[in-house]
Amino acid sequence: MGNEMKKIVIVGGGAGGLELATSLGKKLGRRKKAEIILVDRNHSHLWKPLLHEVATGALDEGIDSLSYLAHARNNGFHFQLGSLVDLNREEKVIHLARIDDEKGEQLVPERHIAYDILVMALGSVSNDFGTPGVRENCIYLDNPKQAQLFHNKMLNLFLKFSSHSNDEARINIAIVGGGATGVELSAELHNAVKQLHSYGYQGLDNNALNVTLVEAGERILPALPVRISSSAQQELINLGVNVQTQTMVTSADANGLHTKNGDYIQADLMVWAAGIKAPDLMKQLAGLETNRINQLVVGPTLQTSRDPSIFALGDCANCTQENGTPVPPRAQAAHQMASLCHSNILALLNGQPLKSYRYTDHGSLVSLSKYSTVGSLMGNLTRGSMMIEGRLARLAYISLYRMHQVATIGYIKTGLMMLVGSINRIIRPKLKLH
Ligand SMILES: Cc1cc2nc3c(=O)[nH]c(=O)nc-3n(C[C@H](O)[C@H](O)[C@H](O)COP(=O)(O)OP(=O)(O)OC[C@H]3O[C@@H](n4cnc5c(N)ncnc54)[C@H](O)[C@@H]3O)c2cc1C
């Protein structure tokens, strides 16, 4: 590539995109060796695996979210607020939608941003597979807004229940999808009820809560070893969660879910967390190759198959491993891809050979709220997969988030955030109560 200052545009400031913008900003942006621009549709970043905690109120979004503008200024990159709507590969520009205020009045017109290298890191959204009634009646935990919506509806239900408390009534919450999101949310709900009861919500206890976790497959947590999924299922049953496996939801209406075997699961609140897809706009994006769930097909260097100046990483990328299976849509994969993308962009700029991505599975952990954490650790130390539970598993679970914090805000600020967390546990309520 020539010597003029290159423009590297990263779309999506999530688990992968924000880490990449930060590292490239520090390496190239601060030294004016390249201009790094991060585009995101939101003003601030919240690490996505924390969303189920925001939904139940176990986490106050305001405390853990990070302002893109402030972070960009401190780390040598620029931030542009906006939603990607189109891409022109011939002219090498991306198109951002106009930004309106809540009354529909234009704040910022439609914009074009030119790039030399583009990185697509738009993440994924829930996949309802076109199941009738789901879009209208279920909440998808795709972003902080949705998590907050769930939180408000949950609190309203609990408030209504505790003011009309009668022994017969129960609060019915149905969660579709027995993956990590569904399992963790089911357990967090029981924790939320326990906390709210202690804050004075009359009659609200675990007997009043009826959480049904619906999974189409034979077992929950299908991506994890059988031992872990059985252990997690047993923990959920002990908490009082009604786990229904081999149950296919065929439609949803305002009051519940219809299943293939003719049953009706009544629910006051429904969450759909059964599978993911990349955003629909990627389906026909400038002739780039996509798979059936809209992910951009990338080669081992993470460059898209039809355009080497466009990289894709994280949930929106379809990267095939040597054994033929796709890299799973996980925060640890987004984290690793961001670091390889960083090296490969430097190599591309310096005319050096690019490296291939290899996914390293460090194991999977599922947090069952305060009650327990189960999972497996993988690596040289364990020589294969080792099941872990309890405190050690909880520590490993938290460390994934700490790694993301270190990659974005550094060791000192991560340490300070941990301190703030400890102080907040003393001075704030254990649950966000409004
Ligand atoms: C509740 C929950 C729990 C999870 N728990 C775990 C876990 O324990 N372990 C694990 O490994 N993984 C977990 N995951 C999965 C993990 O969150 C994702 O794999 C990871 O966040 C993917 O990172 P990413 O950078 O690809 O996308 P994301 O982190 O989703 O970031 C995408 C970014 O793109 C932005 N964006 C999207 N569309 C546009 C657009 N058109 N224009 C501009 N910006 C846009 C979004 O605002 C967002 O900031 C969990 C997911 C959920 C929902």
Side-chain angles (χ1 to χ4, degrees):
M1 288 206 170
N3 281 337
E4 71 281 12
M5 187 140 94
K6 298 291 178 196
K7 243 180 165 181
I8 303 166
V9 176
I10 301 159
V11 187
L18 183 61
E19 291 188 12
L20 180 63
T22 308
S23 64
L24 287 176
K26 284 181 183 163
K27 181 84 184 170
L28 302 173
R30 274 184 187 161
R31 298 175 198 176
K32 307 265 180 272
K33 289 192 170 166
E35 188 185 358
I36 318 296
I37 301 172
L38 175 68
V39 175
D40 201 285
R41 53 164 52 144
N42 296 316
H43 288 276
S44 60
H45 160 81
L46 183 79
W47 196 57
K48 204 174 175 186
L50 297 175
L51 285 182
H52 66 278
E53 294 185 33
V54 174
T56 58
L59 185 94
D60 187 342
E61 184 205 336
I63 294 171
D64 274 69
S65 70
L66 190 138
S67 153
Y68 286 120
L69 265 183
H71 189 69
R73 192 198 60 187
N74 295 340
N75 290 280
F77 68 90
H78 301 285
F79 173 66
Q80 284 271 344
L81 179 71
S83 280
L84 176 89
V85 280
D86 208 355
L87 162 67
N88 184 329
R89 289 203 284 134
E90 284 73 46
E91 291 176 19
K92 289 196 158 196
V93 290
I94 59 164
H95 297 208
L96 303 185
R98 61 180 250 178
I99 303 176
D100 294 341
D101 68 10
E102 50 289 343
K103 289 185 196 145
E105 278 175 34
Q106 181 177 300
L107 295 174
V108 183
E110 204 182 299
R111 282 153 297 157
H112 295 171
I113 300 178
Y115 66 84
D116 293 295
I117 296 174
L118 176 65
V119 182
M120 301 287 279
L122 285 86
S124 59
V125 292
S126 298
N127 192 351
D128 62 23
F129 308 97
T131 311
V134 170
R135 177 167 295 280
E136 298 78 18
N137 299 294
C138 298
I139 292 178
Y140 307 106
L141 282 193
D142 286 340
N143 53 50
K145 227 187 227 167
Q146 295 271 325
Q148 199 55 54
L149 177 73
F150 178 91
H151 182 67
N152 293 343
K153 287 190 179 231
M154 178 195 86
L155 282 186
N156 286 348
L157 272 177
F158 290 167
L159 193 63
K160 193 168 154 195
F161 174 87
S162 85
S163 59
H164 298 95
S165 180
N166 78 56
D167 291 343
E168 309 286 298
R170 292 186 89 191
I171 303 155
N172 298 309
I173 300 183
I175 299 164
V176 186
T181 305
V183 169
E184 293 185 336
L185 182 63
S186 312
E188 274 301 341
L189 279 168
H190 280 272
N191 179 45
V193 159
K194 205 170 143 200
Q195 297 294 340
L196 287 169
H197 182 72
S198 75
Y199 287 115
Y201 275 65
Q202 300 268 324
L204 187 64
D205 57 21
N206 275 340
N207 294 329
L209 182 66
N210 177 29
V211 178
T212 306
L213 179 64
V214 189
E215 165 58 44
E218 284 187 359
R219 60 184 176 97
I220 60 165
L221 301 172
L224 301 188
V226 176
R227 234 179 112 195
I228 295 169
S229 80
S230 330
S231 172
Q233 176 155 343
Q234 196 49 54
E235 295 271 2
L236 290 182
I237 291 169
N238 294 347
L239 284 175
V241 176
N242 173 15
V243 181
Q244 292 198 12
T245 51
Q246 293 182 291
T247 306
M248 172 83 82
V249 172
T250 49
S251 67
D253 63 30
N255 301 311
L257 304 164
H258 296 269
T259 72
K260 199 175 174 184
N261 49 16
D263 290 339
Y264 185 65
I265 300 167
Q266 209 167 353
D268 306 302
L269 191 52
M270 291 167 270
V271 173
W272 186 274
I276 59 122
K277 60 176 179 175
D280 285 335
L281 80 98
M282 312 233 310
K283 205 182 293 177
Q284 307 267 318
L285 197 61
L288 290 171
E289 188 186 356
T290 50
N291 66 2
R292 69 186 164 79
I293 55 165
N294 310 335
Q295 289 171 313
L296 292 170
V297 177
V298 295
T301 57
L302 301 181
Q303 288 160 297
T304 50
S305 57
R306 292 183 186 153
D307 193 332
S309 59
I310 303 180
F311 289 77
L313 59 82
D315 286 8
C316 76
N318 172 225
C319 180
T320 306
Q321 303 183 83
E322 273 167 11
N323 64 8
T325 61
V327 173
R330 311 256 297 275
Q332 54 177 315
H335 171 75
Q336 293 164 16
M337 284 177 165
S339 60
L340 186 91
C341 224
H342 171 101
S343 315
N344 278 352
I345 287 175
L346 295 186
L348 195 63
L349 293 174
N350 295 324
Q352 290 165 347
L354 275 60
K355 290 187 193 141
S356 292
Y357 174 66
R358 183 174 288 182
Y359 173 58
T360 313
D361 189 349
H362 292 296
S364 303
L365 294 148
V366 182
S367 163
L368 302 168
S369 184
K370 301 235 167 319
Y371 305 102
S372 152
T373 300
V374 291
S376 63
L377 276 191
M378 304 240 244
N380 295 337
L381 196 68
T382 56
R383 298 198 177 275
S385 166
M386 180 181 89
M387 176 153 174
I388 54 168
E389 280 177 277
R391 272 177 182 274
L392 177 63
R394 181 81 199 150
L395 210 69
Y397 181 83
I398 293 168
S399 71
L400 189 61
Y401 178 42
R402 297 294 174 220
M403 267 160 58
H404 172 67
Q405 284 186 307
V406 168
T408 48
I409 58 175
Y411 283 100
I412 296 174
K413 285 191 182 161
T414 301
L416 289 172
M417 288 292 286
M418 286 166 72
L419 186 66
V420 169
S422 308
I423 296 170
N424 278 332
R425 272 194 290 282
I426 300 168
I427 61 172
R428 295 171 72 95
K430 289 197 170 51
L431 203 73
K432 191 165 178 277
L433 299 167
H434 55 83

